[in-house]
Amino acid sequence: MSWWDEWGPALPVEGGLVVSGTMRAARLGERPKSVGSDIIRRMLESVNTGIATRGRSYARNGQTVTMTIEKGRIHATVQGSAATPYSVTIACTVPEDRRQRLIEAFEHALVDPSKGIPARGTPALRDEIDTCALLDGVDITAKCTCPYGEVCKHCIALAYVAADRLDGSPIAVATFMGVRDDDLSAARGTRDSTPNPPSVPEYDARRQAKLARTLARLDGRAAPSADDVIRRASKVLRPPASVAEQLGLGPAEERS
Ligand SMILES: [Zn+2]
């Protein structure tokens, strides 16, 4: 087999992985808007337009037979024109000095890594995961067992299919970037053992009684509004400043 074999038509794949929705336009020179489009952009930088076009066509036609996202890499088999599918790998190498920061970002953004539900996290960290800033300074490489020898259409096809999967799953991004559940639980353990000042004041019996009396006074009204209740309760309970602000109660006053 020579590189010339790869110019023949690709063998059709039954049930191959197809890129969902519109094929994203990850244009060269543009700031990518997601981890997936950043990977595509980097792959496209290494190829000519002919390879890029054929790779996109492979992705669209479902030439990717299998794909797994493993720690630090995405592995796939992509069917070309030869009888046996090629083995394609896109690898991610995170510099050691960025690794801890990365683990922290994922640890905050993924509430339950075993289920992969992105539910909690500070907006800044979530944003970090949603955007390409996550890949800054990170090395992404691709290789394929086909005879072409450089970044090929099979790598391009995988980049598109993988981008689809990565952009729908922060846990997949974490795995690709080499962050595993045990890294996250280690980070969580460190954080949980750090003593934090209680953010909620303790409500003693005296204050509870005062709250009950305060709210009871509202009972005489025809229909106290929810705002009334919250405002009165907050005078007794003195919520933390951030909560007071969210409730529209203004800055906390010193109350006795
Ligand atoms: Zn190839």
Side-chain angles (χ1 to χ4, degrees), residues 144 146 152 154:
C144 176
C146 83
C152 60
H154 313 107

Side-chain angles (χ1 to χ4, degrees), residues 227-256:
D227 285 348
D228 269 342
V229 176
I230 290 172
R231 192 171 45 79
R232 299 249 182 165
S234 75
K235 283 188 175 165
V236 181
L237 297 179
R238 292 182 288 187
S242 58
V243 175
E245 196 182 331
Q246 278 176 33
L247 294 173
L249 300 169
E253 317 157 9
E254 200 49 53
R255 308 176 195 100
S256 58

Side-chain angles (χ1 to χ4, degrees), residues 10-223:
L11 303 179
V13 174
E14 192 84 23
L17 300 168
V18 180
V19 175
S20 69
T22 318
M23 196 75 107
R24 74 193 64 228
R27 298 187 200 290
L28 296 178
E30 254 181 36
R31 183 76 181 161
K33 293 182 178 61
S34 68
V35 167
S37 57
D38 200 5
I39 292 172
I40 293 172
R41 181 185 60 89
R42 291 178 189 216
M43 291 295 122
L44 292 178
E45 275 173 358
S46 321
V47 300
N48 61 41
T49 49
I51 296 286
T53 305
R54 284 192 289 277
R56 268 194 291 271
S57 156
Y58 269 38
R60 205 179 282 117
N61 295 336
Q63 294 302 118
T64 307
V65 186
T66 61
M67 176 175 71
T68 52
I69 299 180
E70 301 160 12
K71 184 175 180 176
R73 65 178 209 152
I74 297 165
H75 180 70
T77 50
V78 177
Q79 179 67 60
S81 46
T84 314
Y86 297 113
S87 175
V88 188
T89 304
I90 296 179
C92 175
T93 311
V94 178
E96 202 46 47
D97 60 348
R98 285 213 51 204
R99 194 173 145 71
Q100 193 51 39
R101 171 73 186 134
L102 192 67
I103 291 172
E104 282 166 19
F106 281 116
E107 195 276 318
H108 280 83
L110 302 171
V111 64
D112 184 347
S114 65
K115 291 180 183 161
I117 302 169
R120 179 175 56 84
T122 63
L125 289 165
R126 286 299 303 280
D127 197 45
E128 198 171 338
I129 290 196
D130 288 345
T131 65
C132 52
L134 209 56
L135 290 187
D136 285 353
V138 170
D139 198 28
I140 306 284
T141 54
K143 62 177 186 185
C144 176
T145 53
C146 83
Y148 186 68
E150 294 166 45
V151 176
C152 60
K153 58 191 172 188
H154 313 107
C155 299
I156 299 293
L158 174 57
Y160 278 96
V161 174
D164 233 26
R165 173 80 61 85
L166 291 171
D167 287 348
S169 167
I171 194 71
V173 175
T175 306
F176 174 57
M177 299 191 75
V179 175
R180 295 278 292 267
D181 285 1
D182 46 352
D183 296 317
L184 296 173
S185 8
R188 190 164 293 131
T190 312
R191 192 195 54 188
D192 291 348
S193 63
T194 311
N196 286 320
S199 56
V200 179
E202 286 179 22
Y203 300 129
D204 58 21
R206 188 185 56 81
R207 211 187 287 180
Q208 284 182 29
K210 186 177 176 187
L211 175 63
R213 282 196 305 279
T214 305
L215 296 180
R217 278 185 221 118
L218 288 171
D219 200 30
R221 299 190 181 188

